[in-house]
Amino acid sequence: PTLTFGDHQWVIDRKVTERYLLGELDGSEQKEFEDHFFDCGACAEEVRRGAQLIANLKEVVREGEN
């Protein structure tokens, strides 16, 4: 289904940011969400924070493997 980003709460309720970061959105949903978060400071910040968390977790796992 096509995502509806007119209501920011809709994005939050459906955990779209998390699904984006986990690669769970299909191509059209990903594009639509990117169009949204480029104009939405709150979502952009969530994506930045989530991407940083993922990067930090990957670093911890790499350090644990050594």
Side-chain angles (χ1 to χ4, degrees):
T2 299
L3 301 176
T4 304
F5 297 110
D7 177 12
H8 182 73
Q9 192 61 46
W10 189 94
V11 172
I12 294 168
D13 291 346
R14 286 156 185 82
K15 301 187 183 314
V16 176
T17 303
E18 292 87 343
R19 292 174 47 220
Y20 174 79
L21 289 165
L22 293 171
E24 294 177 354
L25 301 180
D26 69 28
S28 64
E29 291 172 330
Q30 179 178 334
K31 166 89 171 76
E32 198 170 338
F33 180 62
E34 287 171 352
D35 289 347
H36 169 76
F37 84 71
F38 290 150
D39 291 327
C40 177
C43 283
E45 182 61 25
E46 291 247 350
V47 169
R48 279 191 290 277
R49 287 181 189 178
Q52 185 62 54
L53 174 64
I54 290 168
N56 290 344
L57 290 172
K58 286 180 179 180
E59 182 62 29
V60 167
V61 168
R62 275 193 295 271
E63 289 175 3
E65 292 175 346
N66 294 327

